[in-house]
Amino acid sequence: MTEADVPEVETETLDSEGYQVDARIMDDLEDMFAAAREAGRSPMICSAFRSWDMQVSLYQNKISRVMSEDGLNEEDAAIKAATVVAKPGTSEHQVGLALDIVSSEYTNLDEGQMETEDQKWLIENSWKYGFILRYPLDKSDITGVIFEPWHYRYVGKKAAKEITEQNLTLEEYLGAEPVGDPTGDL
């Protein structure tokens, strides 16, 4: 999507941190977090809705870091950066349907999240509330994005159940092509 194509999102603020989501998913999100707490879990949100300008800033920052760290030119760095940070206009955060959720006991955005009890609970139960783990392990060739055990996407309860039961990605469920190049190969 271009900046003009990004739909206006009616957001609702989640917590004292000021994170926002599409207002339509608020009840299911609150129910999921309440169930997690009842199960003795304490996941926390570290990213939610992002404006166009915020997504541009995150993406440009990643390109700069890749250029510096890997010695790539801007074009090649942009390709590699897009496997980790969505290009503006392709981020689900921009429509308020995606959240990055981490364990309160381990807040790093890395594969260590998979080992936390909070993430294990979320992976097992999030579908009941309409959420899926958006970029699962060993599916980067399908999603075009690296494995992100913290990135959850609201798809609705029916779709989440079907996606989970069939072990599909959203791309497979919708018959869509991946957006990025998960390997970072140029």
Side-chain angles (χ1 to χ4, degrees), residues 62-74 76-84 183-186:
K62 185 62 178 177
I63 291 170
S64 294
R65 287 195 323 262
V66 170
M67 288 172 64
S68 173
E69 294 166 6
D70 297 353
L72 298 177
N73 64 41
E74 188 170 1
D76 293 342
I79 293 167
K80 186 170 184 179
T83 68
V84 180
T183 64
D185 291 342
L186 305 173

Side-chain angles (χ1 to χ4, degrees), residues 96-185:
L97 299 175
L99 301 126
D100 291 341
I101 306 173
V102 295
S103 171
S104 60
E105 298 167 358
Y106 184 82
T107 59
N108 293 351
L109 293 178
D110 62 27
E111 292 187 20
Q113 279 297 325
M114 283 298 291
E115 305 307 316
T116 69
E117 294 304 315
D118 289 341
Q119 285 300 344
K120 290 175 185 176
W121 187 91
L122 285 166
I123 289 168
E124 185 176 317
N125 293 284
S126 63
W127 66 270
K128 298 173 187 173
Y129 306 93
F131 293 86
I132 59 168
L133 179 64
R134 181 65 177 90
Y135 303 114
L137 185 64
D138 298 328
K139 297 277 189 156
S140 294
D141 59 326
I142 298 167
T143 65
V145 176
I146 64 166
F147 171 51
E148 291 188 355
W150 56 84
H151 186 100
Y152 290 85
R153 161 72 190 263
Y154 187 81
V155 295
K157 291 178 181 177
K158 181 179 183 262
K161 183 178 191 293
E162 292 172 359
I163 288 168
T164 301
E165 286 176 346
Q166 297 174 42
N167 191 32
L168 300 174
T169 64
L170 186 57
E171 285 78 8
E172 291 168 310
Y173 185 73
L174 297 174
E177 294 295 320
V179 173
D181 173 8
T183 64
D185 291 342

